Amino acid sequence: MLAASAVDTVALGPDWLDPTNVVETFGAYAFLAVVLVIFAECGLLIGFFLPGDSLLFMTGVFIASGSIDTPLWVACLALAISAVIGNLVGYAIGWRAGPAIFDKPESRVFKPKHVAKTHEFFEKYGVKAIFLARFVPIVRTFITVMAGVGRMDTRSYVAVSTVGGIVWAAGITALGFALGDIAFIREHIEAAIILIVVVSVIPMVVEAYRARRKVSAELP
């Protein structure tokens, strides 16, 4: 087992969200805990605060060190499936429960016109938005429900969510596995994870900038 002192404490949230603590707390069931966390973050609104990116990365690091004895290919497959199923559950929640919430006449926030606007957004940017949001913490949790509320085409959603889940979950886990043997990375885990989070946000920032430029160009 990799001792806790082998990695720095990740100061991105409470100690119980530290990926290292997940391994120490759940022991032989650590990987199962990781799978469940990824599912919750991707599909349940209450999971928006969970450390998806850092947990995937550290899972790869722990597999490389032997702290988690699950083979890398099995881990990548299981985590990708968990991420995809989580998104499908979130989409189903939005599809079934969303309209009922938005249709409440006494609600000042959830109104039918918001559903219409959400639907229009996904008609125009749906595929691109779902894929890019996969790499942005918090956003990836809520956008799945909004896709269901907005009645995004189911086939398109399933396709892009599957591709995004594979690239995100398997990709970051494999990245952690590949970099886990590098001494500098092991000794600066906190900085590495912060960098991952920052890089994760870049695609959405770039897309927002492009959209803004496009709107500006179309204005007289």
Side-chain angles (χ1 to χ4, degrees):
M1 285 289 292
L2 178 66
S5 60
V7 294
D8 296 332
T9 299
V10 182
L12 295 178
D15 288 344
W16 62 272
L17 288 180
D18 183 348
T20 303
N21 288 341
V22 172
V23 175
E24 293 182 337
T25 301
F26 292 95
Y29 300 98
F31 182 69
L32 176 60
V34 172
V35 170
L36 294 177
V37 168
I38 295 303
F39 168 80
E41 195 209 14
C42 292
L44 307 179
L45 288 174
I46 59 173
F48 72 91
F49 62 89
L50 296 172
D53 296 309
S54 59
L55 192 56
L56 289 172
F57 184 83
M58 289 305 301
T59 296
V61 172
F62 289 141
I63 291 174
S65 70
S67 297
I68 293 179
D69 60 5
T70 303
L72 178 63
W73 72 271
V74 173
C76 289
L77 178 62
L79 291 169
I81 291 174
S82 180
V84 172
I85 292 178
N87 271 182
L88 295 179
V89 170
Y91 177 82
I93 291 174
W95 185 283
R96 292 180 177 275
I101 297 174
F102 278 71
D103 286 339
K104 289 183 178 179
E106 70 274 11
S107 175
R108 295 182 179 180
V109 178
F110 302 115
K111 300 179 179 180
K113 66 178 182 179
H114 294 159
V115 177
K117 288 182 179 180
T118 304
H119 178 72
E120 181 181 349
F121 171 80
F122 282 107
E123 283 293 313
K124 189 172 183 180
Y125 302 108
V127 172
K128 186 180 295 184
I130 292 297
F131 182 83
L132 292 176
R134 175 68 79 172
F135 300 90
V136 183
I138 300 179
V139 175
R140 64 171 156 263
T141 301
F142 287 98
I143 201 169
T144 59
V145 176
M146 295 305 294
V149 172
R151 291 297 193 265
M152 179 179 176
D153 179 72
T154 302
R155 290 185 179 180
S156 297
Y157 177 82
V158 171
V160 72
S161 180
T162 299
V163 173
I166 293 172
V167 174
W168 176 67
I172 294 183
T173 302
L175 183 65
F177 181 87
L179 300 179
D181 288 335
I182 300 177
F184 180 82
I185 297 296
R186 289 200 309 271
E187 294 168 3
H188 299 84
I189 288 295
E190 181 177 338
I193 294 177
I194 291 175
L195 179 61
I196 288 174
V197 174
V198 172
V199 171
S200 296
V201 177
I202 290 178
M204 288 295 283
V205 173
V206 172
E207 184 59 29
Y209 174 74
R210 288 178 177 175
R212 187 170 182 177
R213 287 195 61 183
K214 184 178 180 180
V215 172
S216 299
E218 293 175 351
L219 293 176

